[in-house]
Amino acid sequence: MIIPDLTGLSIKVKNKKSVLAGFNPISYNIIRRFNKTRSYKACKNLCNAPFRNLYFSANGQVSVCCYNMQYIVGDIKNNSITEIWNSEKIKKLREHIANNDLSLGCGACKSELFLQNFENLHIKLYDTHFAISNFPTSLGFQIDNSCNLECTMCSGDLSSKIFLNREHRTLIKNMYDENFIKQLSEFIPHLKFCLFSGGEPFVINSYYRIWEMIIQHNPLCNIVVQTNGTILNDKIKNLLEKGTFNIGVSIDSLNQETYEKIRVNAKLDTTLKNLGYFKDYCHANNRFIGLSVCVMNQNWMEIPKITEFCSMNNINIIFNTVRFPAKDALWILNSNELKEIIDYYGGFLFTTKTDVQKRNKKSFENLINLIVSWYNIALKFENHKHVTISEKEFKPLIDELILKLETSLNVFYDGNNMKQAYCKSIINKIMTILNNIPNDDIKYRSITIINSFNGEKILANIFRENDESLVKLIKNISKYAEM
């Protein structure tokens, strides 16, 4: 096992002018290594998303990708699609990206770059279909959380059942009305690529309208549907035959018990049968077929088997990094636990006769490198010497966190007095955990990182943790300061 050298990655920058202009560019050494995995044309920008893509989220907020929901470039309630695409906010983000600066909400990809998780980096999704003047060439839709599953690693923002059953939240009005659908007609002819996720796309009615518009006005546009694979009927089959559909299916285990514990309400036999249909459709029409796998505590020993399954069936494998909940995530494990996974994965060899098999082998190796990076971070974290921080320095951070939680809980429950006791219990739980942690620099960094998220995201993660894992998460989240 070769452990990648992470030294010296934050020294040399690409352009001193960027620093002098007030930007904070990523190290040129990192960019150079990353660009070796990309096409020459794609390397013009560190990320091409701001120059070619808009992403529409269920709450009406618009960003340039689903990984950056901290820097919002518009809101469909107040802005037209055209206004958002030409807004000053998106221009500012483009300027930062042009200077290799990922400080405007792009922390997730920044972490993956530092960890050298290049193959599965979300940036690569935007490395083709560059923007045409005045119009985006790709759009991402996650405009409805309607879903039939309650997956353990998911949240209410992406699942209507979790929204109601786990988080007990008040139903929200869908922001995407008839006016939004009409606006899309101007953009659809220019599109090369569209990504639809959910919720579960095949149960979202508005998606069928958009798909029909694309098929009618731009039939060559690649439509990518990320589905949980549990829904397949004649309506879907007829739709697939009319458009240029590419399919990603989410399956995290080939073991029935494990799969159905993770993908609550799903049946493995049904999903595998539907996967077979999607696979045959994509192969017959020369379309992309992928299997998305969330690598977690529950399934990490199965990952080599799932990789081999994909390679034997000519299916591309995509490994999703699970950051939250902590009870499911690998990054939070200690160095001994991570070393066990690294050693286990190092004993597997894969067939590499086809292009898909070669890509799958590369993705598996990249997963190992990511876990090795977490292992190195865990070692450093475990050997950290604690520094005491005064209560006075903690107070503003605690006050900020309480305000965020109170504000977001009020939004969640729409000021419902019946929920007040429940809201207080959530805040008290967090405060109890924090009060039981010594006032040191680890705790200080943990609270700082937690406060970097919006209140809704903080609450979503609280809801999907148990009491034990929530304590572990708060104590360990400062590891992110090392990424």
Side-chain angles (χ1 to χ4, degrees):
M1 177 67 60
I2 298 176
I3 296 179
D5 177 18
L6 299 179
T7 61
L9 293 186
S10 59
I11 301 172
K12 184 179 179 183
V13 297
K14 182 177 181 180
N15 194 335
K16 291 182 180 179
K17 291 182 180 179
S18 297
V19 177
L20 294 174
F23 295 101
N24 183 25
I26 292 288
S27 159
Y28 176 64
N29 290 327
I30 294 177
I31 296 172
R32 178 173 52 81
R33 296 180 191 185
F34 174 47
N35 284 344
K36 286 181 178 180
T37 70
R38 311 166 78 193
S39 68
Y40 175 77
K41 185 178 180 182
C43 297
K44 179 180 179 182
N45 297 301
L46 176 56
C47 176
N48 293 295
F51 304 92
R52 62 158 285 199
N53 187 71
L54 288 177
Y55 166 78
F56 303 97
S57 64
N59 62 6
Q61 293 182 333
V62 184
S63 62
V64 299
C65 85
C66 62
Y67 276 57
N68 183 352
M69 293 309 298
Q70 293 184 337
Y71 188 83
I72 303 302
V73 297
D75 194 312
I76 209 66
K77 299 188 295 292
N78 305 311
N79 313 114
S80 69
I81 301 175
T82 299
E83 288 171 343
I84 294 169
W85 183 246
N86 296 299
S87 68
E88 290 303 315
K89 288 206 70 175
I90 202 170
K91 289 177 182 177
K92 182 179 179 180
L93 180 58
R94 289 168 184 157
E95 185 180 20
H96 275 68
I97 297 297
N99 284 278
N100 300 326
D101 185 344
L102 298 181
S103 62
L104 295 185
C106 300
C109 285
K110 184 176 181 180
S111 293
E112 298 302 310
L113 280 168
F114 273 91
L115 293 173
Q116 301 186 72
N117 186 20
F118 298 149
E119 289 303 314
N120 294 319
L121 195 61
H122 192 68
I123 287 173
K124 284 196 167 183
L125 183 64
Y126 308 102
D127 274 359
T128 54
H129 314 311
F130 292 94
I132 300 170
S133 177
N134 300 325
F135 289 96
T137 55
S138 69
L139 297 176
F141 296 90
Q142 200 167 49
I143 64 178
D144 193 314
N145 71 342
S146 296
C147 189
N148 57 327
L149 302 187
E150 301 176 63
C151 302
T152 61
M153 62 287 186
C154 197
S155 70
D157 290 336
L158 305 178
S159 167
S160 53
K161 286 189 174 294
I162 292 174
F163 190 95
L164 294 172
N165 298 334
R166 185 194 301 167
E167 300 176 0
H168 313 292
R169 290 163 64 178
T170 307
L171 283 173
I172 56 174
K173 178 185 176 182
N174 192 296
M175 303 299 174
Y176 296 89
D177 56 15
E178 189 66 29
N179 179 51
F180 174 76
I181 301 294
K182 288 180 179 178
Q183 287 184 57
L184 286 176
S185 62
E186 181 183 358
F187 291 83
I188 284 174
H190 304 278
L191 296 175
K192 304 293 184 183
F193 173 93
C194 277
L195 174 63
F196 294 84
S197 54
E200 167 48 43
F202 286 130
V203 300
I204 297 174
N205 291 330
S206 57
Y207 282 176
Y208 286 89
R209 293 192 61 192
I210 298 172
W211 291 332
E212 292 290 353
M213 290 173 65
I214 294 172
I215 290 167
Q216 181 179 355
H217 299 291
N218 188 357
L220 295 180
C221 175
N222 277 285
I223 301 170
V224 179
V225 179
Q226 186 62 44
T227 173
N228 60 37
T230 62
I231 308 292
L232 182 61
N233 51 42
D234 289 341
K235 181 181 179 180
I236 295 170
K237 292 177 181 178
N238 292 334
L239 178 75
L240 295 181
E241 294 304 324
K242 294 190 292 183
T244 308
F245 282 87
N246 304 265
I247 306 295
V249 181
S250 298
I251 298 179
D252 311 301
S253 175
L254 298 176
N255 175 279
Q256 181 180 347
E257 182 180 1
T258 304
Y259 171 83
E260 293 175 7
K261 281 184 177 179
I262 295 172
R263 299 272 165 180
V264 179
N265 303 330
K267 298 297 181 184
L268 180 61
D269 289 346
T270 300
T271 304
L272 289 178
K273 181 180 178 181
N274 294 344
L275 173 64
Y277 182 91
F278 290 132
K279 180 193 71 171
D280 292 344
Y281 163 83
C282 290
H283 287 167
N285 293 282
N286 195 29
R287 310 278 169 71
F288 177 88
I289 176 71
L291 193 71
S292 292
V293 184
C294 292
V295 184
M296 300 180 287
N297 273 316
Q298 300 96 312
N299 67 350
W300 65 262
M301 290 194 71
E302 269 196 81
I303 296 305
K305 179 182 178 180
I306 299 173
T307 304
E308 188 64 27
F309 169 84
C310 288
S311 291
M312 292 300 100
N313 285 278
N314 202 32
I315 299 172
N316 296 274
I317 194 165
I318 300 99
F319 295 118
N320 294 326
T321 303
V322 174
R323 300 288 189 188
F324 309 102
K327 61 184 176 61
D328 293 345
L330 298 186
W331 67 266
I332 204 167
L333 299 179
N334 63 44
S335 58
N336 290 331
E337 293 167 325
L338 291 168
K339 184 66 163 54
E340 179 186 358
I341 299 173
I342 294 166
D343 291 343
Y344 179 73
Y345 285 175
F348 287 89
L349 299 174
F350 298 100
T351 304
T352 55
K353 293 180 180 179
T354 69
D355 288 341
V356 169
Q357 290 172 347
K358 291 174 183 176
R359 286 196 296 270
N360 288 349
K361 178 177 180 288
K362 183 66 175 177
S363 293
F364 184 79
E365 291 172 346
N366 217 63
L367 174 63
I368 295 176
N369 288 338
L370 176 61
I371 297 171
V372 167
S373 298
W374 287 337
Y375 167 78
N376 290 332
I377 290 169
L379 279 178
K380 184 175 181 180
F381 183 77
E382 289 158 15
N383 292 313
H384 175 78
K385 293 183 178 180
H386 299 266
V387 177
T388 302
I389 304 290
S390 70
E391 186 69 37
K392 183 179 179 181
E393 291 179 81
F394 271 103
K395 189 177 186 308
L397 294 178
I398 298 293
D399 290 345
E400 180 184 352
L401 178 58
I402 292 174
L403 179 61
K404 275 190 175 183
L405 292 175
E406 289 177 339
T407 303
S408 298
L409 283 165
N410 189 55
V411 171
F412 268 27
Y413 301 118
D414 198 24
N416 187 334
N417 291 333
M418 297 290 290
K419 299 290 185 180
Q420 282 190 355
Y422 181 60
C423 295
K424 288 180 180 178
S425 71
I426 293 174
I427 295 174
N428 288 339
K429 177 190 290 188
I430 297 301
M431 292 305 110
T432 298
I433 293 172
L434 290 174
N435 289 335
N436 287 330
I437 300 174
N439 284 356
D440 58 31
D441 53 326
I442 295 292
K443 177 180 174 181
Y444 187 89
R445 286 192 296 180
S446 292
I447 302 174
T448 301
I449 293 171
I450 292 170
N451 277 336
S452 70
F453 295 101
N454 63 43
E456 288 78 6
K457 181 70 72 175
I458 296 171
L459 286 175
N461 289 319
I462 292 172
F463 288 134
R464 55 185 168 178
E465 301 286 0
N466 56 40
D467 289 350
E468 181 182 351
S469 66
L470 190 58
V471 173
K472 191 174 182 181
L473 172 61
I474 292 173
K475 287 183 176 181
N476 281 269
I477 198 172
S478 64
K479 287 182 181 180
Y480 275 99
E482 303 297 329
M483 298 184 184

